[in-house]
Amino acid sequence: MTQLQIKPYITEEQLQKKVSEIGAAITKKFKGEQVVAVCVLKGSFVFYSDLIREINADITCEFFGVSSYHGNTSSGEVKVTLDLAHPVEGKHILLVEDIVDTGITMNYLKNSILSRKPASLTTVALLEKPEALKVPCKLDYVGFQITNEFVVGYGLDYQGYYRNLPFIGQVQNFQ
Ligand code: 5GP
């Protein structure tokens, strides 16, 4: 495994506090509706599993697998690795993403879901890098806006590793 120097950036406590604030806001928004929560694999699975437990609504879970990153840069090309298992027409969708960088992946996902005619689409991303945006990408809920640096942990990886860190860290030494 690559030995990277990782500088703590967002602590476990800050993450938990933010997730519970977003969960409370989403609970208020849906007010007893049925919601399909879509987890974007792989990076959002940790955030997603914490977030859905903070939402008081009737939730069913769906998984959407995409990949667009090679190493530590976005390829700009979105590849679907796992499509939604069920139709979402007429349903309220909550799309849960780990991080919006160029915005290309989130735009792709939004368009893909909207083309299936849901009743509504709500987007949430734990992290957003406003300086890195290449396409406009409006989000309903954002956890933290961060600078344009590569981060790992809390579901986010570098070459498949570091997803299990309980905090978010900035990588100091790329080879
Ligand atoms: P975008 O299409 O917005 O450029 O990239 C979105 C995807 O790239 C995210 O879902 C995530 O998988 C990956 N990504 C973007 N920035 C980072 C980062 O700083 N760290 C990690 N680990 N992945 C990132």
Side-chain angles (χ1 to χ4, degrees):
M1 170 170 160
T2 335
Q3 292 302 319
L4 297 183
Q5 278 169 24
I6 295 167
K7 186 172 144 205
Y9 185 52
I10 305 174
T11 65
E12 222 176 324
E13 292 72 26
Q14 287 171 311
L15 288 166
Q16 276 163 12
K17 184 167 177 279
K18 188 63 78 177
V19 170
S20 93
E21 282 167 14
I22 298 174
I26 292 173
T27 299
K28 219 166 156 191
K29 171 173 182 162
F30 285 111
K31 285 193 204 89
E33 298 272 13
Q34 295 195 332
V35 182
V36 180
V38 176
C39 173
V40 182
L41 296 173
K42 293 179 186 169
S44 79
F45 77 101
V46 178
F47 171 48
Y48 176 89
S49 57
D50 283 348
L51 181 65
I52 58 169
R53 286 177 288 170
E54 296 287 341
I55 300 174
N56 186 4
D58 287 341
I59 290 187
T60 56
C61 299
E62 284 285 331
F63 300 87
F64 208 152
V66 287
S67 84
S68 62
Y69 249 61
H70 301 293
N72 63 338
T73 46
S74 175
S75 68
E77 216 175 278
V78 182
K79 192 172 136 218
V80 175
T81 54
L82 178 75
D83 201 357
L84 300 178
H86 300 100
V88 293
E89 187 169 347
K91 314 235 171 173
H92 295 291
I93 308 300
L94 175 67
L95 180 60
V96 184
E97 178 59 306
D98 52 357
I99 182 165
V100 170
D101 181 22
T102 62
I104 291 169
T105 306
M106 187 48 119
N107 264 292
Y108 176 91
L109 291 164
K110 276 164 94 170
N111 289 334
S112 174
I113 289 177
L114 288 173
S115 72
R116 302 168 202 221
K117 300 187 174 31
S120 69
L121 174 59
T122 301
T123 52
V124 52
L126 177 66
L127 306 172
E128 185 188 32
K129 294 181 188 169
E131 292 158 25
L133 271 187
K134 287 195 179 148
V135 292
C137 184
K138 203 181 150 302
L139 298 163
D140 296 299
Y141 301 96
V142 178
F144 302 90
Q145 289 193 324
I146 64 169
T147 53
N148 194 5
E149 304 208 33
F150 194 77
V151 290
V152 294
Y154 198 64
L156 289 152
D157 75 314
Y158 174 66
Q159 296 189 344
Y161 294 102
Y162 302 103
R163 294 192 196 277
N164 57 322
L165 288 180
F167 60 90
I168 300 233
Q170 274 179 339
V171 177
Q172 302 293 288
N173 62 327
F174 278 120
Q175 281 86 13

